[in-house]
Amino acid sequence: MARALITGITGQDGQHLAEFLHGKGYEIFGVVKGQNNPRAQQIREEFPFVEVLSGDLTDLPSLVSCLETAQPTEVYNLGAISFVHFSWTQAELTANTTGLGVLRMLEAIRMVGGQQNNPIRFYQASSSEMFGKVREVPQSELTPFHPRSPYGCAKVFGHDITVNYRESYGLYACSGILFNHEGPRRGLEFVTRKISNAVARIKLGVQSDISLGNLDAKRDWGYAGDYVKAMWLMLQQNEPDDYVVATGETHSIEEFLELAFAEVGIADWHPYVKQDPRFFRPAEVDLLIGDPTKAREKLGWKPEVDFPGLVRMMVRHDLAVESAKLSK
Ligand code: NAP
Ligand code: G4F
């Protein structure tokens, strides 16, 4: 039976991936950090088919122990400090977790899987943030990196060390360069969910406005449920490789606001949106738009949910959640 070990199981992608792999009949092990992580219980309740293991990307022995217990055929390294703005606040922690954490997992795989014909297939969650101040439009697997945040720098290290271990040790190691992907499981700190949640609360009269930073930034936004399928497909190929996963469309924060407010019948969003210097970044990534040609041609992958569908899904979800809270 196929066995998957997932770091970042308590995050957005970890939950989608666990659901997806469960549907494919995998035995699933999820790594949870901390001595009493409150999100571990949520995983046990919502995903009873996941065996929760204790581990931390900053602690090599714990990763070895997780691998020894799970004996996985596939490892998905989704764990990271993933909030770009936060990475300026705790840059060293970000480098240690998001960057060096990848190296630790690769070393753990070498230790447990053996040096020759290592049977463990490895997926690294690389990011379009690595393109940063973009050198070309759209961005493909061949576009040079120019990260703009401690997070982006850490992801470049994680990406490069994954490629290096593949080339040095013949590991089956893939890196998915995923562009922004969202959905109802997105953390409230990220701009899309912050907006969908606020729009729902404004519609219900429990919040008056929303404070945001730079509204001009453009992102290639897709649906997380579509993107975890691409992760899995990468590990089912004959040869390991790196792939851009994106929709090939870009939209501004203002466009997201427009659609989100329209979904609850508010035609003009401007009176509800304030700008606050706290939410601007020391260095911004102005424009991201991916070229997913390779993923489409070699993996047969394409996104199912489009931009209006994504905004609608998130706003409707948050409206239902916030309404339920009010009726309690
Ligand atoms: P997320 O919701 O923020 O989840 C991050 C996960 O990492 C959480 O489960 C978190 O655990 C875990 N984690 C943090 N520090 C850890 C540590 N020291 N050891 C082990 N686990 C740790 O992120 P996501 O959106 O699901 O993204 C998944 C991965 O894809 C991340 O690596 C992210 O950088 C990358 N990525 C995301 C996107 C996107 O648009 N979503 C795009 C490109 C790449 P706790 O819950 O305990 O904090
Ligand atoms: O939603 P965001 O915080 O996502 P960001 O920075 O693009 O990073 C996400 O996508 C990356 C892939 O490209 C991942 F690697 C990473 O882990 C994460 O999942 O911000 C999006 C844009 C930025 O330009 C930001 O400046 O929205 C702008 N923004 C404007 N006001 C805001 C806000 N972002 C946040 N989080 N909060 C605001 O109030």
Side-chain angles (χ1 to χ4, degrees):
M1 187 194 244
R3 298 161 72 89
L5 180 74
I6 303 173
T7 68
I9 191 79
T10 55
Q12 170 189 251
D13 290 6
Q15 295 180 37
H16 278 287
L17 183 65
E19 228 166 46
F20 176 80
L21 295 179
H22 181 58
K24 296 233 164 265
Y26 277 61
E27 202 161 324
I28 302 164
F29 300 82
V31 179
V32 175
K33 74 174 200 294
Q35 66 180 38
N36 187 17
N37 188 327
R39 296 172 94 181
Q41 193 50 28
Q42 180 214 336
I43 296 300
R44 288 193 182 95
E45 282 166 12
E46 281 185 40
F47 308 93
F49 49 83
V50 171
E51 184 166 332
V52 172
L53 301 178
S54 173
D56 195 303
L57 285 163
T58 62
D59 183 274
L60 175 64
S62 74
L63 300 179
V64 172
S65 167
C66 286
L67 288 169
E68 283 174 344
T69 305
Q71 294 290 317
T73 50
E74 296 172 7
V75 172
Y76 294 87
N77 186 39
L78 311 184
I81 300 294
S82 80
F83 184 30
V84 174
H85 203 167
F86 178 78
S87 75
W88 276 281
T89 315
Q90 296 194 11
E92 187 180 336
L93 179 69
T94 304
N96 196 8
T97 309
T98 305
L100 281 174
V102 187
L103 173 64
R104 289 190 193 94
M105 183 57 94
L106 286 163
E107 275 300 320
I109 288 172
R110 289 182 66 219
M111 289 158 99
V112 172
Q115 303 301 307
Q116 302 288 321
N117 303 318
N118 193 316
I120 301 175
R121 294 188 169 204
F122 176 73
Y123 172 85
Q124 167 56 15
S126 283
S127 165
S128 50
E129 270 288 312
M130 300 188 303
F131 298 123
K133 195 172 168 64
V134 299
R135 304 277 182 89
E136 63 180 350
V137 177
Q139 297 85 51
S140 76
E141 294 80 4
L142 301 176
T143 304
F145 300 141
H146 185 146
R148 295 275 279 172
S149 61
Y151 168 83
C153 294
K155 280 290 178 188
V156 170
F157 175 78
H159 179 86
D160 285 345
I161 202 70
T162 299
V163 175
N164 179 259
Y165 269 49
R166 179 169 77 218
E167 293 175 355
S168 304
Y169 304 115
L171 288 186
Y172 190 108
C174 297
S175 192
I177 307 175
L178 270 56
F179 282 63
N180 297 52
H181 46 279
E182 321 288 316
R185 289 178 172 140
R186 191 57 146 152
L188 285 163
E189 66 272 37
F190 300 95
V191 76
T192 54
R193 185 81 197 287
K194 183 174 170 182
I195 293 171
S196 65
N197 178 262
V199 164
R201 290 170 56 81
I202 288 168
K203 175 69 181 171
L204 295 169
V206 290
Q207 184 171 330
S208 56
D209 50 39
I210 175 174
S211 293
L212 295 169
N214 175 20
L215 304 184
D216 298 326
K218 291 184 154 188
R219 290 290 183 273
D220 181 330
W221 277 301
Y223 172 52
D226 288 339
Y227 284 42
V228 297
K229 186 175 179 197
M231 298 175 186
W232 174 77
L233 282 167
M234 284 178 217
L235 298 198
Q236 312 313 310
Q237 306 305 305
N238 289 333
E239 297 296 331
D241 206 344
D242 309 318
Y243 298 85
V244 158
V245 179
T247 69
E249 273 183 34
T250 193
H251 299 277
S252 65
I253 315 293
E254 289 204 355
E255 287 176 83
F256 196 101
L257 284 165
E258 185 84 36
L259 289 184
F261 275 93
E263 183 60 31
V264 296
I266 298 175
D268 181 10
W269 53 268
H270 293 86
Y272 301 97
V273 177
K274 293 179 177 164
Q275 280 186 291
D276 185 329
R278 284 182 305 141
F279 298 115
F280 284 79
R281 297 172 180 188
E284 179 61 281
V285 172
D286 296 315
L287 166 73
L288 289 175
I289 176 165
D291 174 1
T293 306
K294 182 175 171 184
R296 188 176 60 240
E297 290 180 351
K298 295 204 167 169
L299 303 178
W301 178 86
K302 64 174 172 49
E304 303 292 336
V305 178
D306 65 6
F307 180 64
L310 176 67
V311 180
R312 192 181 315 120
M313 178 198 302
M314 293 179 72
V315 172
R316 287 185 183 178
H317 168 86
D318 281 332
L319 208 47
V321 169
E322 294 300 323
S323 303
K325 280 187 198 164
L326 282 180
S327 60
K328 269 187 188 160

